[in-house]
Amino acid sequence: MTEKSRKRNSNVKLEQRNPPVSKKTKDSQNGASLLGCLNSEQIQERISLIDQGFYLKCPPDFLSFYEFCKTLSNDAPLDALSEIGFRLVGPFEILHYGSKDQVKKGQWSNHYRFYHDPPEFVTVVVCSNDQSHIGYFRDSYESTPFVAKSTATISGVIEYCGQNLFAFLRTVLDRKTSCHTSHLLESFDEFVSAKNILIDDSSSFIKHRKKHQVCATTNSIGLMIDVSEGDIGYRPISVSYYFLRD
């Protein structure tokens, strides 16, 4: 008798463990390594860890968003947005805790990657309210990432959320109305004004992307791939052709 095929669960993560962090930091009473306590060399070291481990060139809003969360909760910035069901994960955990071990290229690329997530998507925020997660989407290692949303219960559809994390959060706060979110929105407006952060969540970017994309994808976000002569799309990959052939 032929064995019945198993249906894959769209809610299952490929990797559930968090990236390894410094034991010294874990054992500290407040469990936090605050950005304000780090010098520029230490910050760049952690950015380099993220670059190596996640294949992610951190955009300018990455550090600013972490700094904003620190203004909300100095001791626990990763949980600063828990009132609206958000938690900072993945690259933010490395920025927050650091790592005592040497990092291999791409060793964290599967952390917080959900069932339908393509390699181009790196999760940075998980949302407990609707089983969705927010991340940076980049067509290649060198390209500038934008912010997108993926929901485990929707078959692989990726939704554009803005050019940076602040644009995404502003959209969320505008949709919520409560005493907690009004206080959060006030803090948000003060921070982006003081830092002169541009918030652009208009649809013009994604319209331009779809118009100039090289190929359409089932997740609806498409791919902008460098094209060689003869209109053949090509992106360098991180493994050898020999490895793929096997």
Side-chain angles (χ1 to χ4, degrees):
M1 181 180 293
T2 305
E3 183 181 358
K4 294 182 178 180
S5 61
R6 297 180 180 178
K7 182 179 180 180
R8 295 187 293 180
N9 187 346
S10 62
N11 295 328
V12 175
K13 296 178 183 178
L14 295 183
E15 178 60 73
Q16 294 181 341
R17 294 175 299 171
N18 293 336
V21 297
S22 168
K23 184 177 185 301
K24 180 179 179 181
T25 307
K26 276 186 172 181
D27 294 340
S28 63
Q29 290 184 352
N30 59 15
S33 292
L34 302 180
L35 192 61
C37 299
L38 301 175
N39 58 42
S40 59
E41 183 178 346
Q42 290 172 315
I43 293 173
Q44 289 306 313
E45 180 183 351
R46 296 189 179 187
I47 292 297
S48 179
L49 290 176
I50 295 169
D51 188 303
Q52 289 285 317
F54 290 94
Y55 285 133
L56 175 67
K57 287 184 176 294
C58 296
D61 68 294
F62 179 75
L63 283 176
S64 298
F65 196 79
Y66 178 77
E67 185 181 355
F68 167 65
C69 289
K70 275 183 53 190
T71 65
L72 301 176
S73 178
N74 195 45
D75 293 333
L78 300 183
D79 294 308
L81 300 174
S82 59
E83 291 181 355
I84 55 175
F86 294 165
R87 187 178 193 279
L88 276 57
V89 298
F92 279 117
E93 292 174 324
I94 298 303
L95 176 63
H96 185 63
Y97 294 116
S99 176
K100 64 177 181 179
D101 301 321
Q102 186 174 1
V103 180
K104 297 179 181 179
K105 289 185 177 181
Q107 76 174 57
W108 297 327
S109 58
N110 279 343
H111 286 287
Y112 290 99
R113 182 183 294 176
F114 290 72
Y115 184 86
H116 291 293
D117 292 349
E120 292 82 4
F121 189 92
V122 179
T123 300
V124 294
V125 177
V126 291
C127 314
S128 59
N129 295 340
D130 59 0
Q131 297 185 358
S132 65
H133 48 288
I134 309 302
Y136 288 119
F137 187 98
R138 69 273 193 256
D139 296 286
S140 69
Y141 171 72
E142 297 293 342
S143 62
T144 302
F146 58 88
V147 177
K149 175 181 178 180
S150 178
T151 304
T153 55
I154 302 176
S155 300
V157 175
I158 295 177
E159 176 186 352
Y160 171 72
C161 294
Q163 291 291 284
N164 56 50
L165 290 168
F166 291 95
F168 156 71
L169 183 57
R170 181 55 189 259
T171 301
V172 172
L173 294 177
D174 285 343
R175 293 174 181 173
K176 295 180 180 290
T177 55
S178 70
C179 59
H180 295 296
T181 55
S182 61
H183 173 72
L184 185 56
L185 182 57
E186 181 180 349
S187 299
F188 176 89
D189 288 338
E190 290 178 359
F191 186 87
V192 297
S193 177
K195 298 292 184 179
N196 294 318
I197 296 173
L198 178 64
I199 298 177
D200 181 12
D201 58 353
S202 66
S203 59
S204 58
F205 171 83
I206 197 65
K207 288 180 179 178
H208 179 271
R209 178 182 175 84
K210 287 185 178 296
K211 183 178 180 181
H212 294 87
Q213 68 185 14
V214 175
C215 66
T217 55
T218 56
N219 58 30
S220 79
I221 207 70
L223 285 176
M224 300 283 287
I225 307 172
D226 292 336
V227 179
S228 61
E229 293 182 5
D231 289 334
I232 298 175
Y234 175 79
R235 285 180 300 155
I237 54 178
S238 59
V239 296
S240 67
Y241 288 108
Y242 177 82
F243 177 86
L244 289 176
R245 189 168 57 248
D246 288 350

